[in-house]
Amino acid sequence: RQHCVETSTYGSEVVAGRTAVDVAAELRYNLRMLGAPVKGPTVLFGDNQSMVTNTTLPHSTLKKRNQANNYHRVREAVAAGMVNIVHCDTEFNLSDMGTKALNGVKHQHFLQNQNFPPVSTAGECKTDQKIQSVTSSGMA
């Protein structure tokens, strides 16, 4: 739940990113308190390319000054290696099923394929064709 109103998609995504970072930090802390080892960063999926680029690249600069606190909180978590933000297109984004008007074919596709999207080393969600070619070649 967001506690503010944003007029832009970028602003909404940065606020959601900060909320996700705070929840990830809390869950990682709770797991460590229970004695469970936490290995590697937590992967966060985002569908706004601008937000993903601005918060993951060290040389990017913030152009929206009203988002400074949210931006720096997300950027700090990425720089510390606590989270890894990955861009995920609409074709893999399961949350779009509840937030966008989809035609019957796409809606049925999401209902039948409710699993996490595969993430490539480039930090992008792969297409089904790339996945099939990798698994058929025996590399996966």
Side-chain angles (χ1 to χ4, degrees):
R1 176 187 152 116
Q2 290 181 253
H3 299 285
C4 62
V5 176
E6 291 293 329
T7 57
S8 69
T9 305
Y10 176 82
S12 297
E13 292 289 333
V14 172
V15 170
R18 182 196 175 132
T19 303
V21 165
D22 290 343
V23 169
E26 181 181 333
L27 290 173
R28 291 169 65 91
Y29 178 74
N30 287 339
L31 286 170
R32 284 194 306 270
M33 290 293 292
L34 293 171
V38 179
K39 299 178 183 175
T42 302
V43 179
L44 301 178
F45 296 101
D47 64 350
N48 188 308
Q49 185 65 48
S50 303
M51 188 279 239
V52 172
T53 302
N54 281 343
T55 55
T56 55
L57 297 177
H59 58 72
S60 67
T61 58
L62 179 64
K63 295 179 178 49
K64 316 277 195 269
R65 294 293 168 204
N66 60 329
Q67 291 296 330
N69 290 338
N70 296 325
Y71 168 80
H72 288 296
R73 175 69 176 118
V74 175
R75 183 71 198 105
E76 176 187 29
V78 171
M82 183 177 71
V83 298
N84 184 15
I85 300 178
V86 175
H87 180 256
C88 191
D89 281 334
T90 300
E91 63 185 284
F92 290 111
N93 198 345
L94 291 176
S95 65
D96 284 349
M97 186 169 58
T99 59
K100 293 183 181 177
L102 301 173
N103 63 24
V105 175
K106 287 185 180 179
H107 188 75
Q108 286 299 319
H109 174 74
F110 280 137
L111 286 176
Q112 294 170 357
N113 300 308
Q114 292 187 9
N115 51 9
F116 290 109
V119 179
S120 70
T121 56
E124 292 283 331
C125 294
K126 294 180 184 179
T127 63
D128 291 328
Q129 296 167 350
K130 290 180 184 176
I131 297 166
Q132 291 171 355
S133 66
V134 170
T135 55
S136 64
S137 65
M139 298 177 103

